Amino acid sequence: MSIGRREFLQLLAVASAGGMALGNKEVLAGDMAAAQRLYELPKFGNVSFMHFTDCHAQLNPIYFREPSVNLGVSDALGRPPHLVGENLLNYFKIPANSPQAHAFTYLNFEQAARTYGKVGGFAHMATLIKQVRASRPHALLLDGGDTWQGSATALWTNGQDMVDACKLLGVDLMTSHWEFTLGAERVTEIIEKDFAGHIEFLAQNVHTSDFGDQVFKPYVIREMNGVPVAVIGQAFPYTPIANPRHMVADWTFGIKDDHMQKMVDEARSKGAQVVVVLSHNGMDVDIKMASRVTGIDAVMGGHTHDGVPAPVVVKNAGGQTLVTNAGSNSKYLGVLDFDVRGGKVQDFRYKLMPIFANLLPADVAMQTHIDTVRAPYKDKLEEKLAISEGLLYRRGNFNGSWDQLIVDGLMAVKDAEIAFSPGFRWGTTILPGQAITRDHLMDQVAITYPATTVSNMSGEFIKTVLEDVCDNLFNADPYYQQGGDMVRVGGLAYTCDPLAESGKRISNMALNGKAIEASKNYKVASWAPVAAGVTGEPIWDVMETYLRSEKVIKTRKLNLPTLKNMSGNPGIA
C-alpha cells in the first residue's frame, strides 16, 4: 500500500491548494520521485517493528532544525550519531538539497522548511503507520518514551492527551524517561488504568529501592507469523540524576548490563528467536551496551534525538547487534524488518522515514482527537506574545537561538549577571517572521518543575557546575554520560576542551571582558531545579514578561564557548 505516483501528485495538489509553502517549485518538482520514494516500503521478511521515540508531546506538525554541532569524542569520533551537515549526507550517501537532506540535517534549513513544509504530527504519523500495517499486519509499534511531556496540553492534562493519542495510534509497547517527571503515582495510575489491555510499559532496569523488586514488566514475548519475538524495555538509566529524584524516590535506575543479559537469556530460554531492546539509553550508551550484552538482535533507541538513517552494526562475543535511533518530535517513523528462518535472523531491512505533513494526509480519527483535546485551550495557546525576526531553534551541544532567548530573558527579568538554562534537546523551531505564541513558548519550557531561582554563586562553584555538565556530555566512557547537552550560559564567556580530562575542560571564564574570580560571588539566574521544595516564578511567566516587553525579538547572537582540539571533527559545521 505504498503511495502511487498518481496519489502522490494528488496530495501535492491538495497541499498546494491548502497553502503549502512551496518555495522553490522547481526544486520540489525535481524531487517528486525522491519524495515519493520516502514512503515506498517493499515487503520483506516475517518479523517487523515500527518505532518512534522522543516525540515530546508534539501532536501537531512542526518545524524542527537538526543540529549543526553534535560532537563525538574518543570511540564516538566520526561515527553516527556524531555527524552533521554535509558529513552526514556523505556518510549515508544522501543527495544534497533533497527531502532527506532537509529531514536529516540543518543545511539550508529556512529555505528547505519553506519548501517542504512542516514535519511530524500524530495525525500524519497515524496515516503512515496504517500504510505500513497494511503490508505488515504483524508489526509491533514501539514507543521509545519522552512521550507524555513537552507541550502545554501535555502539562495541563497531566499527560492524558498523549496517553489517549498513543492508544489511538495503536502503540503496543513503550519504555520511558520524562514520563517519570509526572511522578511515580501518576505513572502507575496510567499503566494500571489507561494502558491495561492496550499498551505494555516495559523497563528491565527499574527496581524498588528497598527490596530490589522489578517495578515494571522487563519484557514481553509476542508471536509474529509463528516466530516468538521478545521485546525488552530499558528506561533512561539516569532519571534520578537528570531529573528530580524525589519524583521517583522509591525506585532505582541504572544501565544494569548484568540484569539485561539475564533477561535476554531468559527470553531466549523461553523460545524467543528474535530479541529487540526498546531503549532510552541514548545512542552512544546503546552502542556500548550492544558490545557487552550478547543475544540482542537490535536496539531501537532514543533519548539523544538522533535521526540516524541506517543502523550501526555492533560486533560482540555472540555475533552482532543493530543499533538504531529514530530522532524526535514526531518527525520520523522507523521500520525494521527481519527475515527469520531456522530459528534465527538471517537478514534485515531498515528504513527511517521522515514524516512530511504535506505529503501524508491527516488521519481523520487522530486529527479529531487532537482538535478535541486542544479546543479548551485554543485561545490561550494561540495568543501572540511577540514576533521573531530570526530563526529560533533548540538543538546542539552548546546553545541554540531559543536557548539564547531564554537566558537573555532570565538575565533581563531577574536582573542577573549570568544565567543558566538546562541543555534540553526538545523544543520546536520558529521561522523568521513567525509570531511566537504561548504554544511555541511552552514547547520549550513545559515541565513539572519550572521554578526560576536567583543565587549568589562563587566563581569556583560556577566552574564546578560547568565542569560537571561538560563531563556528562564528553566523558570518553558513554556509561558516564548522564544527561542532555551542555548547560546554556548567558553573560559568561568560557573556553571548552572536550578532550581534556575531567575537571580540566573549562578555562578562561570571563564576564564583560574581566576574568571570573574564584572567590567572588556573582548573581546567577536559572530554572528547572531538581532539588525538592524549591519555589520560584515559573519560567513561562518570566519569559512571557520578557517577550511582551520586547515585542519584536531580534536575531540572537549565540553565546558559544571557544572550542579547543575540535578542528576537523565531523560533528561540527
Side-chain angles (χ1 to χ4, degrees), residues 477-499:
D477 185 344
Y479 279 19
Y480 288 93
Q481 297 171 6
Q482 299 172 348
D485 282 311
M486 187 65 182
V487 62
R488 281 52 171 128
V489 179
L492 179 75
Y494 68 99
T495 297
C496 176
D497 182 357
L499 300 185

Side-chain angles (χ1 to χ4, degrees), residues 92-173:
F92 291 107
K93 297 180 172 57
I94 296 173
N97 301 313
S98 65
Q100 294 96 324
H102 173 49
F104 290 110
T105 75
Y106 71 92
L107 296 170
N108 305 314
F109 178 79
E110 184 183 336
Q111 178 186 353
R114 296 190 189 280
T115 298
Y116 297 115
K118 294 183 178 181
V119 295
F122 260 48
H124 305 274
M125 187 194 296
T127 296
L128 184 55
I129 287 169
K130 287 181 178 179
Q131 178 182 321
V132 174
R133 277 202 162 124
S135 61
R136 295 161 173 78
H138 56 278
L140 289 174
L141 178 58
L142 311 183
D143 173 0
D146 281 7
T147 305
W148 310 344
Q149 176 278 333
S151 72
T153 55
L155 181 68
W156 297 338
T157 65
N158 214 10
Q160 194 64 47
D161 65 332
M162 297 308 302
V163 170
D164 293 338
C166 286
K167 288 170 64 178
L168 189 60
L169 198 64
V171 170
D172 294 295
L173 313 167

Side-chain angles (χ1 to χ4, degrees), residues 166-313:
C166 286
K167 288 170 64 178
L168 189 60
L169 198 64
V171 170
D172 294 295
L173 313 167
M174 81 170 291
T175 194
S176 184
H177 170 204
W178 272 90
E179 286 75 11
F180 295 120
T181 65
L182 298 182
E185 184 177 346
R186 176 61 174 150
V187 171
T188 302
E189 177 186 42
I190 289 171
I191 294 169
E192 292 179 351
K193 294 182 180 180
D194 296 275
F195 277 13
H198 299 281
I199 301 173
E200 294 283 10
F201 190 99
L202 306 175
Q204 72 86 22
N205 59 328
V206 183
H207 296 84
T208 60
S209 54
D210 48 8
F211 299 110
D213 296 330
Q214 196 86 52
V215 177
F216 310 105
K217 279 188 179 181
Y219 65 88
V220 296
I221 297 179
R222 300 282 177 87
E223 191 170 289
M224 291 189 207
N225 292 320
V227 179
V229 173
V231 178
I232 304 172
Q234 176 83 349
F236 181 54
Y238 297 112
T239 295
I241 297 173
N243 308 102
R245 181 182 295 274
H246 63 88
M247 293 178 170
V248 286
D250 297 329
W251 299 342
T252 67
F253 293 71
I255 298 171
K256 303 187 179 180
D257 277 350
D258 290 345
H259 193 258
M260 175 65 80
Q261 186 67 69
K262 181 181 177 182
M263 294 298 97
V264 173
D265 295 344
E266 185 177 299
R268 292 283 186 187
S269 72
K270 292 181 178 179
Q273 296 177 17
V274 176
V275 175
V276 166
V277 172
L278 176 60
S279 168
H280 205 93
N281 278 335
M283 193 161 184
D284 288 334
V285 178
D286 283 336
I287 289 170
K288 179 174 178 179
M289 183 182 72
S291 73
R292 292 162 58 94
V293 179
T294 61
I296 299 171
D297 293 297
V299 179
M300 306 196 81
H303 178 61
T304 38
H305 292 200
D306 301 305
V308 181
V312 172
V313 180

